[in-house]
Amino acid sequence: MRASLSLRAGLLSIAILAALIGIWHVATLPTAGAAGNVDPEYAALVSGAAAEGQKSAFPTPADVGATLWKHIKDPFYVRGANDQGVGIQLAYSLGRVLVGYGLAALVAIPLGFLIGMSPLTYRALDPFIQILKPISPLAWMPLALYTIKDSGISAIFVIFICSLWPMLINTAFGVASVRKEWLNVAATLEVGPLRKAFMVILPAAAPTIMTGMRISIGIAWLVIVAAEMLVGGTGIGYFVWNEWNNLSIGNILTAILLIGLVGMILDVALARAARLVAYRE
Amino acid sequence: MTKPLISIEALARRYPAPGGTETTVFENVWLPIAKGEFVCLIGHSGCGKTTILNVLAGLDQPSAGVVIVDGREISGPSLDRAVIFQGHSLLPWMSVMGNIAFAVTSRHPDWPKDKVRAHCQKYIDVVHLTGSEHKKPAELSGGMKQRVGIARALAIEPKMLLMDEPFSALDALTRGSLQDEVRRICTETEQTVFMITHDVDEAMLLADKIVLMTNGPGAKIAEIVENTLPKDRRRTDIHKHDSYYALRNHLLDFLVTRSKTFASEIAGKSYDPRRPPLVRPGETAAAAPPEIAPARAASA
């Protein structure tokens, strides 16, 4: 009997993971024989793995595993401004993303609705959207820092800006392309404008709007890491940059893994939400 | 004739053609529809049938002319004129019950939920969809979807039903049974109906009056054919009636040749677009020989 596809795929995934870790492990094995040649003063100065000279600063899978376990065991410690648990850093980043993203949704969905309803505004605003959309959100950072003067709010503003466009464009597109026959149904039933908006246009456009929201949350989570590297202070992006300054590759790898995990969870959550509003024709 | 429920008066539709001229799709169309009448409009594609129906529905504006209902010119869509669309036009995110309830609450915003539900259920039962109330349109077959469309239109209890080739997207078997049901429902409720079709058999089964339109551009009503078949006709025995072939041949003859040549036919004769000739095929002429059994009308 053949195992189910998902079981076989799972086994293959595990095999690939094992192979990757194996290659990583072999590549980071210390070269034997050169130990003990290091000047103790130099060792004291640079400390740790680097002092042993022959061993690279790149940790072995076991080292990273230990670091990861250490972070997972105690994610919320606070030992001063520059030494806080990875859980706290992720929470800061998530908080910024959710505030910026939430504000963007509050602006983009109603505005997109209005743009989509009116071919005039659709056309009039299109050049602005087309020019503003491809701007890297980080390019707004100096302007934000100059006008807002608060680095935390600036980071939220950057998230806001980058989340705005996909939601705005998708909402406007979804609303503008609601099937004429559904609008005709509403018209022949003399449905009022508000009821039409909420009972016909919104459900019809909801899958397109959700697609925009899903694109936006992905971009927001990409951008927050870079934004926090710039503004500093707190957040997972700052954590990565801080650990780079500490040359703690193990911490960086741990953070990278967690960034990926959180991004995946955000995407899955939005995909679930999208399924709720999807319909088959 | 009694005062018509709805009256189409001097309706015309033109659109600008290249070169600054205008193309007239149809013009000077006059048609009264009495209460309780089932009127079918037959014509080839491009004669503006759907435009006329959309004007009646209030979804489209004519270039000239008016539609009068109850002594007033219509200015837009109304719950008094329900439309059964060619594509079923159900809202795919709503269940069968939801789609019908959406229409019912549009008609009666003040009704409590129970009453709306009971009212919807009544019409779901009428179109034989009992048990499928909570299915989404995507889970229904084409015929069932169209039944929901019919139930939705009937549930708002309109003064008039407008149907735009409601069965054209269905297979022959489903079409037949739905035609029977529509005939039953419409005779029972004495519903006034205006229907577009290019299926001669459908028109003969359902309509009291069959309005023949010439080909566009410049389409006009050539004549109005009164259905001479008995009122209690059924799909299964309709071809056994004496006037069946006379009527059918008359309609086919029109669609095949006269719809093209009508302009030369009336050349020099008096033709009043306000009173197109009323024809009753089979009443005076002898019944056609039974061995002529023409193939089914070109319904494409």
Side-chain angles (χ1 to χ4, degrees):
Chain A
M1 197 189 90
R2 302 206 57 156
S4 76
L5 182 67
S6 49
L7 181 67
R8 283 182 289 147
L11 288 174
L12 186 60
S13 294
I14 291 169
I16 293 172
L17 180 67
L20 287 176
I21 291 178
I23 294 167
W24 176 9
H25 180 77
V26 171
T28 52
L29 277 181
T31 38
N37 295 345
V38 180
D39 179 13
E41 271 185 51
Y42 175 70
L45 195 66
V46 297
S47 86
E52 281 153 36
Q54 75 288 355
K55 195 180 171 191
S56 103
F58 207 89
T60 63
D63 294 339
V64 173
T67 317
L68 183 62
W69 179 240
K70 190 188 82 193
H71 283 299
I72 288 172
K73 239 179 13 183
D74 185 16
F76 298 113
Y77 68 85
V78 179
R79 295 185 204 113
N82 281 338
D83 191 8
Q84 302 187 21
V86 76
I88 288 183
Q89 308 287 21
L90 278 172
Y92 273 117
S93 300
L94 264 178
R96 284 184 187 128
V97 163
L98 292 182
V99 171
Y101 177 82
L103 288 174
L106 283 181
V107 173
I109 293 172
L111 188 63
F113 217 93
L114 294 178
I115 294 173
M117 296 278 272
S118 150
L120 177 71
T121 51
Y122 199 118
R123 293 227 183 157
L125 291 178
D126 194 53
F128 295 98
I129 295 172
Q130 295 306 331
I131 288 179
L132 292 171
K133 182 181 66 165
I135 297 172
S136 164
L138 295 171
W140 293 100
M141 186 62 103
L143 274 185
L145 287 170
Y146 177 75
T147 47
I148 301 170
K149 294 186 175 69
D150 179 291
S151 61
I153 297 175
S154 295
I156 290 171
F157 173 77
V158 167
I159 295 302
F160 169 82
I161 281 288
C162 77
S163 312
L164 191 68
W165 310 116
M167 284 197 270
L168 187 67
I169 291 164
N170 270 48
T171 307
F173 176 75
V175 169
S177 48
V178 171
R179 293 252 290 267
K180 186 83 175 76
E181 48 183 89
W182 298 338
L183 297 176
N184 279 348
V185 168
T188 56
L189 294 174
E190 294 187 66
V191 175
L194 215 59
R195 192 151 174 265
K196 185 172 83 177
F198 283 102
M199 297 285 285
V200 179
I201 297 173
L202 189 61
T208 322
I209 297 173
M210 283 308 297
T211 306
M213 294 182 76
R214 200 171 156 194
I215 297 170
S216 280
I217 198 82
I219 295 177
W221 189 243
L222 290 179
V223 166
I224 191 65
V225 175
E228 283 169 347
M229 283 181 177
L230 282 175
V231 297
T234 48
I236 194 72
Y238 166 74
F239 177 84
V240 170
W241 200 248
N242 198 32
E243 295 309 314
W244 164 237
N245 287 334
N246 294 340
L247 205 64
S248 174
I249 308 281
N251 280 339
I252 293 173
L253 285 171
T254 303
I256 285 172
L257 190 65
L258 291 174
I259 291 168
L261 267 176
V262 172
M264 189 187 79
I265 290 167
L266 289 175
D267 189 59
V268 168
L270 264 291
R272 285 274 162 85
R275 221 175 297 159
L276 290 179
V277 299
Y279 55 84
R280 277 195 306 139
E281 278 183 45
Chain B
M1 190 174 164
T2 51
K3 195 172 164 290
L5 173 75
I6 189 161
S7 175
I8 300 172
E9 300 183 358
L11 215 59
R13 176 54 172 254
R14 303 181 192 94
Y15 61 88
T21 56
E22 275 190 331
T23 304
T24 304
V25 186
F26 57 85
E27 62 182 346
N28 221 354
V29 168
W30 294 72
L31 181 68
I33 299 170
K35 191 170 184 306
E37 235 176 3
F38 198 126
V39 176
C40 257
L41 181 65
I42 286 197
H44 285 287
S45 301
C47 72
K49 300 187 300 274
T50 299
T51 310
I52 293 180
L53 185 125
N54 281 346
V55 170
L56 283 177
L59 294 171
D60 205 344
Q61 301 292 325
S63 310
V66 288
V67 176
I68 309 279
V69 179
D70 286 340
R72 274 200 213 139
E73 184 184 337
I74 62 162
S75 54
S78 160
L79 282 158
D80 286 335
R81 280 164 279 127
V83 187
I84 297 174
F85 296 90
Q86 187 172 6
H88 50 83
S89 294
L90 301 178
L91 305 177
W93 54 89
M94 289 182 188
S95 64
V96 169
M97 178 66 89
N99 267 288
I100 301 172
F102 181 62
V104 173
T105 45
S106 302
R107 171 66 121 185
H108 307 285
D110 50 332
W111 277 14
K113 266 192 175 160
D114 299 349
K115 196 171 175 188
V116 170
R117 229 179 162 62
H119 188 80
C120 293
Q121 190 65 51
K122 188 175 128 197
Y123 285 94
I124 290 173
D125 297 345
V126 164
V127 296
H128 300 310
L129 278 176
T130 318
S132 301
E133 291 87 350
H134 302 295
K135 285 187 182 152
K136 293 276 166 68
E139 301 166 69
L140 303 176
S141 67
M144 289 164 93
K145 282 182 209 166
Q146 201 53 276
R147 280 162 203 265
V148 182
I150 293 167
R152 178 172 64 184
L154 292 173
I156 58 174
E157 294 169 332
K159 286 187 183 157
M160 181 169 196
L161 211 52
L162 304 169
M163 299 197 251
D164 185 3
E165 301 185 26
F167 313 117
S168 61
L170 305 174
D171 63 275
L173 277 174
T174 316
R175 190 183 322 152
S177 64
L178 262 185
Q179 283 167 350
D180 282 345
E181 269 173 54
V182 164
R183 167 132 190 95
R184 171 179 62 83
I185 294 164
C186 291
T187 25
E188 274 170 17
T189 57
E190 295 184 344
Q191 184 73 54
T192 314
V193 187
F194 179 80
M195 182 168 109
I196 287 174
T197 183
H198 36 217
D199 183 337
V200 166
D201 296 289
E202 184 168 284
M204 286 170 65
L205 176 66
L206 296 174
D208 302 319
K209 275 184 191 162
I210 302 162
V211 179
L212 302 178
M213 260 190 113
T214 64
N215 288 1
K220 46 176 78 69
I221 293 180
E223 57 190 33
I224 296 172
V225 177
E226 229 171 272
N227 196 335
T228 42
L229 298 170
K231 273 264 172 201
D232 62 347
R233 59 188 176 266
R234 281 209 301 266
R235 198 160 43 93
T236 44
D237 55 16
I238 187 171
H239 57 282
K240 290 175 187 152
H241 294 293
D242 289 341
S243 47
Y244 175 80
Y245 285 108
L247 178 62
R248 194 168 196 282
N249 288 347
H250 184 87
L251 295 176
L252 276 180
D253 186 39
F254 178 83
L255 280 182
V256 175
T257 54
R258 288 178 59 217
S259 61
K260 282 181 250 153
T261 58
F262 188 72
S264 55
E265 190 181 310
I266 57 165
K269 294 182 194 162
S270 71
Y271 166 78
D272 181 4
R274 299 184 66 153
R275 262 183 298 276
L278 195 68
V279 187
R280 296 169 63 83
E283 289 272 288
T284 47
E291 64 266 24
I292 300 175
R296 197 182 150 71
S299 60

